[in-house]
Amino acid sequence: MDGEADGSMSGSEDPGRRRRVHGMLKLYYGMNEEGKAEDRPESLDPCDINGPHFDPELRRECSLAELMDQETCMVKQIRSLDSDMQTLVYENYNKFISATDTIRKMKNDFKKMEDEMDCLSANMAAITEFSARISGTLQDQHTQITKLSGVHTLLRKLQFLFELPARLNKCLELQAYAQAVRSHRRARCVLQQYSHLPSFKGIQDDCHAIMDKLAQELRQKFRDGGSSAKDLSECVELLLQLDEPAEELCDKFLSHARSRLESDLQGLEAEIRPYPSAPAMKDDSAQRASTPAAGSPTDNSPTTSAIPSPTSNTDILEFIDRGCNEFVSSLCLVITSYQELFINHAPKGELASKNIPQMANGKLNVFVDDLAARYFSLVERRIQEEKGVADNSLLVRALDRFHRRLQAVTKLLPGSAVPNKGTEIVIRAATERVKQYLSALQSFYMDSLTDVRQALATPRLSVASASVAGGGGHLGGPGSGRDAPTSLPELLSSLSASILNQIKSVLASVHLFTAKDITFSNKPYFKGEFCSQGVRENLVVSFIKFVCQSSRQFCESAGDKGGSTPPALLLLLSRLCLDYETSTISYILTLTDEQFLVQHHNPVTPVTTLCAEAREAAQKLLNHYVKVQGLIISQMLRKSVETRDWVNTIEPRNVRAVMKRVVEDTTSIDVQVGLLYEEGVRKAHSSDSSKRTFSVYSSSRQQARYAASYTPSAPMDTNLLSNIHKLFSERIDIFSSVEFNKVSVMTGIIKISLKTFLECVRLRTFGRYGLQQIQVDCHYLQMYLWRFVSDENLVHFLLDEIVGSSAHRCLDPAPMEQSVIEVICERG
């Protein structure tokens, strides 16, 4: 048993066994879960030793072993219960001691409390008895005291009424108008009720006279307009309390406020420069047009600030600040005061049926719309003066402040259209700013082209580039353009870089309109339409189209005007447009879309359309370049043919100087085109290209033309053979479009030149030596020109046609020996 007790007292006893033991103890003592004695039905089992119906005789029938087992089990249970009881006593010993002390202390405290309660009861009884004696003593005087108190109150009221006129006069002298009105309102009902009594009638008449005088002074103070907004509000409030017509007061209040706000508007208008007259504007524009453009395409600084801004007394930010701090603030104060006086105060009595708040609100909206329209007009005029686009941050900050301060009107007048009109002004200003930036970009582009033209005309460039730009001047030889490979590429690179940098600078300036710290940037317009239509379409796409259109305009001039554009500029612009088509357009639009988060809700111009337009412009410029260069060389050939007497010329001893000039110019053009375009594809050249002879020596036409006898039928046979030969020859398209490579460009120029030479030869008549001179010239051209074209057979065919046509037009067709021609050409 002791071992079991020790085991039960050990700290390692599991909680399940403890609960089971406690349950057995409760069962033993007949306790329920709440610790109370459990009312359970009596057990009828005769074998239950704890039940009242236990029958010990039944155990006689059990065997001795069963009885011993039952005894052993009972002993174990008794020992277990004793151990558990001992454990409970040990565990709750301190609680028992504390409970004993608490019970002892409670006995002492209750005894003391009983004594205090007895004392309190005695005191309460004494107080009750004393109060009863006092009430009995004063019972007779209570009614008299109540009556005297009422009389005293009445006398005080009568004293107030009799002193009211004097009190009102005193308040009138001291300009204590609010106190006078309060005093009169307190007595007005009483005087009106007893107005049939003469004494009260006199007081009422005196008070009416005094209050009429007070109302007159308030009206005069209201009309003077020299008081502050607080005093003005007090005047209106007092007049309303004096039963002044509310509509008339509304009109007077707004009229007084209008005079003060109009003075603010006049101060703003004085800061705006008046509209210039038409002659002044014309002189100013003429002066700006006559000012030469400064800077070069290599200058990456924003030259858009060249557009002058009208001189104003203050900048746009100061102007908006003054307008917001003076006009808008005063307008908000007027709205607040007006609403507090006429709208927010709930009308009482007879005024409640007159719908004063509705009437006052309508007048206020008309008043605010009228003055806001004038203010917006001044703001728009001032914004229109901001023509300089160098620093856009000042304008954006001013518009942000303007838009931000107008939000106060939204809170005061939720249904007003003023904030929306202010937002429209901001939108128009942003749209106009985009137009100004587009105009500045266009001006910058045209100025850059002017700088490029001046650079092409300066002697800093190589002789090759300068002579070609000037119309094909005389060159020192094919090798004289050694400095050229760096001139045109540098001009193209600087021009493209300056334009791209300018576009980036403009996009950065325009991006200020959509900055996160700008209040109006969260408007739907600036999140959608401004980015897609305003910036992407109206600025970037329009500028790209302008570049293409302005470049195409260089090709539309004809005749003498066509010579005013340097061919080198046509070539450079062609390459610029081609670079735009290949990469620049895609880069600019991607940069714009990423920077402005453009969402293509509205239809926009696709990149492919702009690239196609740029490629078309590049193709047109390159074709025009080929045409211009071909016409320059053709002009030399035409003059050399038309100004010479080919019938009476002397025997050729050398190559004509014009042919050397043609070769030199062609070489310089080849160098120039090679600076900007790749080589291209050529057909395989034959090994004897420079030594080839023409068909006038080897073909059947030569045998027919130079037969021993010239019969009348010979010319007919010659023409027939020539026409048959042309039928089986490949057709040459002289003015076909060229490809974007050097070989194709040079082929087009040489085709135009030789075709012109051919047509001029067909219009002339030749003698023997004239034919021989053509032979020498054509052989010289054939020696050099074949290396420039894509197919050498084309040069051979045209030169063959030239020699054949001159032989056909020759009076004495005696060709020169090939060996002699080669000697003359090599010597030349």
Side-chain angles (χ1 to χ4, degrees):
M1 178 177 176
D2 294 337
E4 292 177 0
D6 293 338
S8 62
M9 293 174 60
S10 64
S12 61
E13 184 179 14
D14 59 295
R17 185 177 180 278
R18 291 172 65 90
R19 285 195 298 270
R20 187 170 62 254
V21 170
H22 289 171
M24 294 175 66
L25 285 172
K26 290 178 181 179
L27 182 63
Y28 176 77
Y29 287 105
M31 306 293 288
N32 57 12
E33 294 295 331
E34 288 78 10
K36 297 180 181 180
E38 184 178 3
D39 296 335
R40 54 185 178 180
E42 295 180 352
S43 176
L44 300 179
D45 186 5
C47 295
D48 187 5
I49 194 172
N50 294 322
H53 299 282
F54 174 70
D55 187 4
E57 296 297 330
L58 293 176
R59 292 294 180 182
R60 293 179 180 180
E61 300 176 1
C62 296
S63 63
L64 179 62
E66 291 177 350
L67 291 175
M68 292 298 292
D69 293 338
Q70 184 69 28
E71 180 187 10
T72 303
C73 181
M74 292 176 64
V75 169
K76 287 183 179 180
Q77 290 180 359
I78 292 171
R79 289 178 179 178
S80 177
L81 291 174
D82 290 341
S83 177
D84 292 338
M85 183 180 300
Q86 184 180 3
T87 301
L88 289 174
V89 172
Y90 288 160
E91 289 179 353
N92 296 282
Y93 178 76
N94 292 331
K95 296 179 182 179
F96 292 154
I97 298 300
S98 177
T100 304
D101 294 340
T102 302
I103 292 171
R104 186 182 300 111
K105 186 177 180 181
M106 286 177 63
K107 288 181 179 180
N108 296 331
D109 291 342
F110 276 118
K111 184 176 180 180
K112 184 178 180 181
M113 189 179 296
E114 287 177 358
D115 296 339
E116 291 178 355
M117 290 299 294
D118 293 340
C119 181
L120 178 62
S121 175
N123 292 334
M124 289 298 295
I127 292 172
T128 302
E129 182 181 0
F130 185 71
S131 176
R133 288 202 303 267
I134 292 175
S135 298
T137 304
L138 297 178
Q139 182 66 33
D140 298 336
Q141 298 179 356
H142 180 70
T143 305
Q144 186 177 0
I145 292 173
T146 302
K147 184 176 180 181
L148 289 175
S149 177
V151 172
H152 179 263
T153 303
L154 179 61
L155 289 175
R156 289 184 61 185
K157 292 181 179 180
L158 290 174
Q159 183 182 5
F160 176 79
L161 290 177
F162 285 115
E163 292 177 356
L164 184 58
R167 187 188 299 270
L168 294 179
N169 283 323
K170 187 66 176 178
C171 292
L172 195 61
E173 292 176 1
L174 298 176
Q175 294 186 352
Y177 302 127
Q179 184 177 353
V181 172
R182 284 196 301 270
S183 300
H184 180 261
R185 286 174 61 85
R186 286 175 57 189
R188 183 169 55 184
C189 295
V190 177
L191 292 175
Q192 182 67 28
Q193 183 179 358
Y194 296 99
S195 60
H196 59 282
L197 300 177
S199 57
F200 286 93
K201 179 66 175 176
I203 295 174
Q204 185 181 25
D205 293 340
D206 293 342
C207 291
H208 282 173
I210 296 172
M211 296 309 295
D212 289 342
K213 184 178 180 181
L214 186 145
Q216 186 66 28
E217 290 187 6
L218 288 176
R219 295 190 196 97
Q220 184 63 35
K221 184 178 179 181
F222 191 84
R223 284 193 296 267
D224 290 343
S227 57
S228 63
K230 182 179 180 181
D231 295 338
L232 184 64
S233 302
E234 184 179 358
C235 285
V236 173
E237 187 174 2
L238 294 176
L239 287 172
L240 283 175
Q241 293 178 8
L242 294 175
D243 296 333
E244 287 287 324
E247 185 172 358
E248 182 179 348
L249 287 178
C250 289
D251 294 337
K252 289 181 179 179
F253 183 90
L254 295 179
S255 175
H256 176 268
R258 181 184 293 273
S259 62
R260 296 178 62 86
L261 293 173
E262 284 183 347
S263 65
D264 294 338
L265 293 177
Q266 289 174 0
L268 291 176
E269 190 171 8
E271 294 188 7
I272 300 178
R273 204 177 72 166
Y275 288 118
S277 59
M281 293 178 64
K282 190 177 298 183
D283 295 342
D284 185 45
S285 61
Q287 183 178 2
R288 288 203 302 264
S290 62
T291 303
S296 65
T298 59
D299 186 9
N300 295 332
S301 60
T303 58
T304 53
S305 59
I307 302 177
S309 177
T311 304
S312 299
N313 296 333
T314 57
D315 58 34
I316 182 66
L317 185 59
E318 294 176 353
F319 178 85
I320 295 297
D321 273 341
R322 178 175 178 181
C324 293
N325 295 332
E326 294 180 1
F327 175 78
V328 178
S329 298
S330 300
L331 182 63
C332 292
L333 182 60
V334 168
I335 294 173
T336 304
S337 302
Y338 185 90
Q339 289 177 335
E340 187 68 24
L341 293 174
F342 301 107
I343 298 176
N344 296 338
H345 278 174
K348 299 179 182 179
E350 297 179 358
L351 299 178
S353 61
K354 296 182 179 180
N355 293 327
I356 292 178
Q358 290 80 356
M359 177 273 299
N361 194 36
K363 288 181 176 292
L364 179 62
N365 284 325
V366 173
F367 170 80
V368 171
D369 291 344
D370 182 27
L371 288 176
R374 292 182 55 188
Y375 173 61
F376 290 158
S377 175
L378 294 177
V379 171
E380 285 198 284
R381 283 177 54 188
R382 183 61 183 86
I383 291 175
Q384 290 174 1
E385 292 183 1
E386 293 296 311
K387 300 296 184 183
V389 291
D391 184 13
N392 196 42
S393 61
L394 202 63
L395 175 63
V396 175
R397 288 168 55 199
L399 293 176
D400 176 58
R401 198 159 301 176
F402 169 75
H403 183 271
R404 190 191 303 268
R405 295 297 293 271
L406 285 181
Q407 302 310 307
V409 181
T410 306
K411 297 178 180 178
L412 295 174
L413 288 177
S416 176
V418 171
N420 292 333
K421 292 180 180 178
T423 304
E424 291 175 0
I425 290 178
V426 174
I427 291 174
R428 286 196 294 270
T431 304
E432 184 63 28
R433 201 62 162 178
V434 170
K435 293 180 180 178
Q436 293 175 4
Y437 275 115
L438 176 60
S439 177
L441 281 176
Q442 293 172 349
S443 300
F444 176 82
Y445 175 71
M446 297 308 296
D447 292 341
S448 299
L449 291 187
T450 302
D451 295 338
V452 170
R453 296 183 69 159
Q454 293 175 356
L456 290 174
T458 55
R460 290 180 302 175
L461 294 177
S462 64
V463 180
S465 299
S467 62
V468 172
H474 179 67
L475 299 178
S480 62
R482 286 176 294 180
D483 297 333
T486 58
S487 56
L488 280 180
E490 287 180 355
L491 278 178
L492 175 63
S493 176
S494 61
L495 176 62
S496 180
S498 62
I499 294 174
L500 187 59
N501 290 336
Q502 199 67 18
I503 293 175
K504 291 180 179 179
S505 175
V506 167
L507 289 178
S509 298
V510 176
H511 188 260
L512 295 176
F513 283 103
T514 60
K516 293 182 179 180
D517 57 341
I518 302 300
T519 55
F520 57 78
S521 64
N522 59 355
K523 295 293 181 182
Y525 172 78
F526 286 96
K527 285 188 175 181
E529 186 177 355
F530 176 76
C531 296
S532 62
Q533 298 298 318
V535 178
R536 189 185 191 277
E537 292 298 308
N538 297 336
L539 180 61
V540 178
V541 173
S542 296
F543 177 68
I544 294 174
K545 290 183 177 180
F546 171 80
V547 171
C548 298
Q549 292 171 0
S550 61
S551 300
R552 285 197 298 266
Q553 289 177 358
F554 288 105
C555 306
E556 295 174 358
S557 55
D560 296 335
K561 295 181 180 180
S564 62
T565 303
L569 180 61
L570 297 174
L571 184 66
L572 186 143
L573 290 178
S574 172
R575 185 67 206 191
L576 178 68
C577 292
L578 185 63
D579 291 341
Y580 269 56
E581 185 263 339
T582 54
S583 61
T584 307
I585 291 178
S586 178
Y587 171 74
I588 293 175
L589 292 182
T590 302
L591 177 66
T592 304
D593 293 345
E594 292 177 352
Q595 192 169 355
F596 288 87
L597 301 177
V598 177
Q599 300 176 357
H600 303 307
H601 297 307
N602 297 323
V604 295
T605 305
V607 178
T608 53
T609 302
L610 293 176
C611 292
E613 187 171 352
R615 187 174 186 85
E616 180 186 356
Q619 185 68 63
K620 194 170 183 180
L621 284 165
L622 195 59
N623 291 340
H624 191 63
Y625 173 79
V626 170
K627 180 180 177 182
V628 170
Q629 293 286 36
L631 291 178
I632 291 174
I633 298 177
S634 299
Q635 187 73 3
M636 292 189 296
L637 293 173
R638 183 178 64 84
K639 290 182 179 180
S640 68
V641 173
E642 293 178 351
T643 57
R644 189 180 184 93
D645 185 5
W646 293 98
V647 177
N648 301 319
T649 186
I650 61 175
E651 184 178 359
R653 290 290 181 265
N654 50 29
V655 180
R656 289 189 300 151
V658 68
M659 296 304 163
K660 297 179 182 179
R661 175 71 177 275
V662 168
V663 173
E664 292 169 358
D665 284 1
T666 304
T667 303
S668 65
I669 293 173
D670 179 76
V671 173
Q672 186 183 69
V673 176
L675 297 177
L676 300 181
Y677 284 99
E678 298 178 354
E679 182 71 21
V681 180
R682 284 191 175 93
K683 292 184 179 180
H685 298 305
S686 60
S687 58
D688 58 345
S689 298
S690 60
K691 302 295 184 179
R692 178 171 176 175
T693 58
F694 300 111
S695 60
V696 68
Y697 308 115
S698 58
S699 66
S700 59
R701 285 190 297 165
Q702 182 267 339
Q703 298 174 4
R705 290 174 181 173
Y706 307 115
S709 61
Y710 291 90
T711 60
S713 62
M716 294 178 61
D717 296 337
T718 302
N719 290 335
L720 180 60
L721 291 174
S722 177
N723 291 333
I724 293 174
H725 181 73
K726 290 180 181 179
L727 286 175
F728 291 96
S729 299
E730 184 178 355
R731 181 179 179 274
I732 299 176
D733 190 359
I734 303 299
F735 294 100
S736 60
S737 294
V738 297
E739 299 177 1
F740 294 103
N741 57 69
K742 184 179 73 172
V743 172
S744 180
V745 172
M746 297 306 300
T747 302
I749 295 173
I750 292 175
K751 283 194 298 184
I752 294 175
S753 304
L754 295 183
K755 182 65 175 178
T756 303
F757 192 14
L758 174 60
E759 296 301 326
C760 292
V761 166
R762 287 175 176 173
L763 298 177
R764 306 295 294 177
T765 303
F766 296 87
R768 174 187 297 179
Y769 297 134
L771 171 62
Q772 294 177 0
Q773 185 66 57
I774 293 295
Q775 287 181 266
V776 172
D777 294 344
C778 288
H779 186 77
Y780 183 80
L781 293 178
Q782 185 266 337
M783 289 175 59
Y784 293 100
L785 296 185
W786 66 270
R787 60 174 60 92
F788 297 118
V789 297
S790 59
D791 186 4
E792 61 180 281
N793 293 326
L794 183 144
V795 175
H796 297 153
F797 176 78
L798 289 175
L799 292 176
D800 193 9
E801 285 289 319
I802 293 171
V803 175
S805 296
S806 60
H808 180 69
R809 300 284 298 174
C810 183
L811 300 177
D812 184 14
M816 181 179 289
E817 293 294 333
Q818 181 64 22
S819 59
V820 178
I821 295 175
E822 292 176 358
V823 171
I824 294 175
C825 290
E826 291 175 359
R827 187 179 60 195

